Amino acid sequence: MKKRILFLSIILILFILLGFLILKKGSNFNWGMIPGVKDFPNIPRSSMSSEEQGLLLAKYKPSQDKIMINGESFLILDTWTTYWFKTQFSKEINKNFYKFFVSIRNEETGKYCELKNENEYCKTCENEFIYIRNYVKYNGKKYGYTNGVGKTNDFLSIDFISENKPIPPDTITFEFKNIDKSTVVNFIKE
């Protein structure tokens, strides 16, 4: 009986390994069809990437390229509005909402969208979001964005609901708070 179980186990392992080798060699297998596999769409990493994928709505030019936030110097590298795909594995565009992204890089550390948190114990995403909202404000009308300026991966971002604001605004204004003063930056549609 033990030999039979061992034999069947070896056969099962060989079939699994063979299956992975076949799938790895370029089949069109859709991993999103397996329950529990992440199918959330990836965000475009730049305005150029968004344009290449057919998702770009507009590029923006900031009124200044360098800002101070909480005593740290940041460079504004890229700003754009973009749609997303409905899922990671489909090429169908979700036009129900779009995002405005600002790519900033810390001049000292070289890291993207890294704001040092004065409360070292606050490491959760929710607290990081609240922390960003304390230093970066969206100065504009409510066009369906969810919670003001947030963080999506390495970007500052605002969500717009297409039904409330079908066309991206011509100007989007952020207020970046430094220690004792604020700087207003206008992002103007190109």
Side-chain angles (χ1 to χ4, degrees):
M1 182 71 165
K2 288 182 183 180
K3 288 182 181 181
R4 191 177 194 172
I5 292 173
L6 181 62
F7 176 74
L8 291 174
S9 297
I10 291 171
I11 296 295
L12 180 65
I13 289 170
L14 288 174
F15 273 113
I16 291 171
L17 289 173
L18 182 62
F20 279 114
L21 288 174
I22 291 169
L23 291 175
K24 196 173 185 177
K25 289 200 175 200
S27 74
N28 291 327
F29 184 75
N30 185 348
W31 287 98
M33 301 302 288
I34 299 173
V37 173
K38 176 183 160 251
D39 197 22
F40 193 73
N42 294 323
I43 65 167
R45 300 300 301 163
S46 67
S47 59
M48 187 183 335
S49 170
S50 184
E51 187 172 25
E52 287 168 356
Q53 296 177 56
L55 301 170
L56 182 70
L57 289 164
K59 290 174 90 171
Y60 288 79
K61 176 102 176 111
S63 56
Q64 62 188 65
D65 296 328
K66 191 175 182 178
I67 51 168
M68 294 294 289
I69 305 172
N70 195 24
E72 298 178 85
S73 178
F74 289 85
L75 297 173
I76 299 173
L77 304 175
D78 197 6
T79 54
W80 74 100
T81 50
T82 185
Y83 286 124
W84 288 25
F85 290 117
K86 287 194 173 186
T87 69
Q88 181 177 352
F89 301 105
S90 95
K91 295 299 177 193
E92 187 178 352
I93 298 172
N94 182 354
K95 294 191 175 183
N96 293 328
F97 75 98
Y98 57 92
K99 282 191 176 264
F100 173 69
F101 287 120
V102 178
S103 175
I104 63 171
R105 185 179 70 212
N106 189 308
E107 236 183 346
E108 182 183 324
T109 66
K111 293 187 178 179
Y112 289 87
C113 197
E114 177 196 61
L115 295 172
K116 292 179 184 166
N117 194 333
E118 64 233 5
N119 301 321
E120 285 302 315
Y121 61 89
C122 293
K123 297 291 184 193
T124 67
C125 217
E126 181 182 338
N127 288 330
E128 184 177 8
F129 176 75
I130 292 168
Y131 181 75
I132 287 172
R133 287 190 63 206
N134 288 336
Y135 291 98
V136 184
K137 301 274 186 206
Y138 168 56
N139 294 331
K141 297 176 184 174
K142 276 195 168 188
Y143 286 124
Y145 66 92
T146 55
N147 292 313
V149 178
K151 183 177 176 187
T152 304
N153 292 1
D154 291 333
F155 307 108
L156 297 175
S157 63
I158 300 176
D159 295 335
F160 288 94
I161 297 171
S162 298
E163 183 178 306
N164 296 350
K165 185 67 178 162
I167 299 167
D170 291 333
T171 303
I172 297 174
T173 304
F174 278 13
E175 178 183 352
F176 295 95
K177 295 187 178 184
N178 199 7
I179 295 166
D180 56 350
K181 68 175 190 168
S182 295
T183 302
V184 173
V185 176
N186 294 310
F187 298 96
I188 301 161
K189 193 188 291 187
E190 293 182 356

